[in-house]
Amino acid sequence: MRAKLWQSVVIFTACLAAGDSSAVEDGRQNGTFTNATTFTDTITRPTEPTKKAEINDAEILLPRILNQIQNKSDSRLRPKIGREPITVYTDMFVLDIGYISEANMEFRTSFFLRMYWKDERLAYNNTGYKKRLALNAKMVQHMWIPDIYFVNEKSGIKHDLTKENEVVRLWPNGEVFHSMRLSMTASCPMRLHNYPLDKQVCKLAFESFSYEDTELLFQWKKAKGNKEVDVAEELEIPQFILTDYWTNTTSANFTSGAYSRLIVWFKFERSIGFFLIQTYIPAYLIVMLSWIAFWISHNSTPARIALGITTVLTMTTLTNSARASLPKVSYVKSIEWFLILCFLYVFASLVEYACVSFEMNRKIKKGMKIPVVDTESDDGKDPEKKDLVDVMDGNLNANGNTQTRRRNKFSFYGRKTAEKRLVQYRPYTDQEIEKLVSHVDNWSRVGFPLSFVLFNIIYWALTIHFS
C-alpha cells in the first residue's frame, strides 16, 4: 500500500515539472513569464563583476602594460626624436639648507627635483586601463629620463635609504612624472665687505648635459598657480635667514652649442646675534677694561703694564679667532675694521702709560718751585716789591740741592734796565710724589671713551647703510 502511495507522488511531481518546462518555453516564445518563472530567473541570472574580479583583472592586465612599456620605450632615445624639441617642465621642493660656509664659499641643500614631460611611447590607453601607474626606480632604467647636471655642484648624492628615493608615474596618454631626492654642496661666490651684516645670494643651476636647446627645453612648471620652487615651512639655517627666493630661465652658450638652463636663486641675510655674543661684546669689554689703567696710580707700574699687556694679548686672540672662519680675501671686512680699531685703542692705552711716565719723571726731575728771596738787585730796589716772573727752565735740576737760576730779560723797544727773574726748585718728597696728578691721565679718562663712542656711531651707521 505504501509503495503504491510513493509511486503516485513521484508521478505527480514529474507531471508538475513537465508543466513548468512547457510554460517556460511558451513564455520565452510569447514574451511573457509567470510569477514563478520570474523568481527563478532572478536567482539564476549572473550578477555584475564584483570588486574582487576587477582587482584580479588589473593584476593580469598590469604586467602586460609593463611589458608593453619595456618593449616600446627606448632609454637611449629621447621622445620626438627627429622632430621638434621635447619640453620638460620642472619644479622643486627644498627640504633643507644645512649650512653656508664663508671660508669655502659654498652651501649645502637637500631637495626634491620633479620633472614632467610626455612620451608617447609609454602610452597605454589602448589597453583599456584608465588609471595612472606608480612605478619604482627599477622601471627608470627602461625609460628615457632627462640627463641633467648641476652647473655649480661640488659634491652630491642621490638618496637610497632604504630604497632609492626615486619614483615615476605614468598616465594612459603617455604623460610622465619623475621625482628624486638629492642632496648636494654647491659653490656660492660671496662678497664679504659688510661681514657680518652682509646679505648673500646663492644659486642652484642645472641643465642638460648632452641635449642642446634644439632637442630639449627646460621650463619651470607654474600650473594651477603653484610655485615652481617651494620651501619647507620648518626650514632653519644656522646664522642665516632665507628672506627671498626666485627663479629664471636662461640659455648657456658653449663651444659645443647652446643649452637650456634653469636657475633658482636664494637670498640669505646673516643674523648678527652670534657675532654680538662671540666678538662685539667681548671686544667692547676688553677695550673698557684697558681704560681702568687711567685710574690706577702712576706709581703702580707693574699693575698698569700687566693690565695693558693682558688686554693687548686678549684682543689679539679675539681677532685671530674671529678671522679663522673667514676666507683669505684681499679686502678688509667690516668686522676686521672694528677689531683693528679696538686693538688700536687697547694698544693706545698701553702707550698712554708711557706718556704718563715721561710726564711724571720730568716733573720729579725738575722739582717743586719755591719762593725766591733776593737781598740784592741790579737797580737797587727791593725784589719783594717787583713782579716776579716764573721761568720754565728745562735744564734745571733738583737732585737733592736747592738751586737758584738768574736770567736777564732784555727789551726790544729801547735800552732799558734789565729785569731780573729768579726761579728756585726743590725736590719732591715721597708723599708729594704720590699726590702728583698726570694731565695725560686726566685727558685720557675723557678723550678715550668719547672718541670710542664717536667711532662706534660712525662704524654702525656706515655698516648698516652699505648692508
Side-chain angles (χ1 to χ4, degrees), residues 167-265:
V167 65
V168 174
R169 293 175 182 173
L170 297 179
W171 276 262
N173 61 349
E175 293 182 355
V176 184
F177 165 75
H178 177 255
S179 176
M180 55 183 171
R181 183 188 174 194
L182 303 174
S183 292
M184 68 180 59
T185 300
S187 62
C188 178
M190 302 180 187
R191 299 188 63 84
L192 302 171
H193 293 83
N194 294 321
Y195 180 90
L197 267 74
D198 56 328
K199 298 177 182 178
Q200 303 296 339
V201 177
C202 299
K203 70 177 182 179
L204 201 61
F206 58 94
E207 62 188 43
S208 174
F209 191 82
S210 58
Y211 294 102
E212 301 179 26
D213 55 6
T214 56
E215 297 184 88
L216 188 149
L217 293 174
F218 280 112
Q219 292 186 10
W220 288 109
K221 186 176 185 297
K222 301 181 180 180
K224 301 180 181 178
N226 296 331
K227 290 185 177 180
E228 56 272 24
V229 175
D230 201 4
V231 178
E233 296 181 358
E234 62 275 9
L235 177 66
E236 291 187 4
I237 310 171
Q239 298 186 21
F240 283 91
I241 299 174
L242 180 62
T243 58
D244 194 13
Y245 54 92
W246 64 94
T247 62
N248 71 312
T249 306
T250 184
S251 180
N253 296 314
F254 300 96
T255 55
S256 58
Y259 298 84
S260 178
R261 176 180 293 183
L262 297 184
I263 306 176
V264 53
W265 301 87

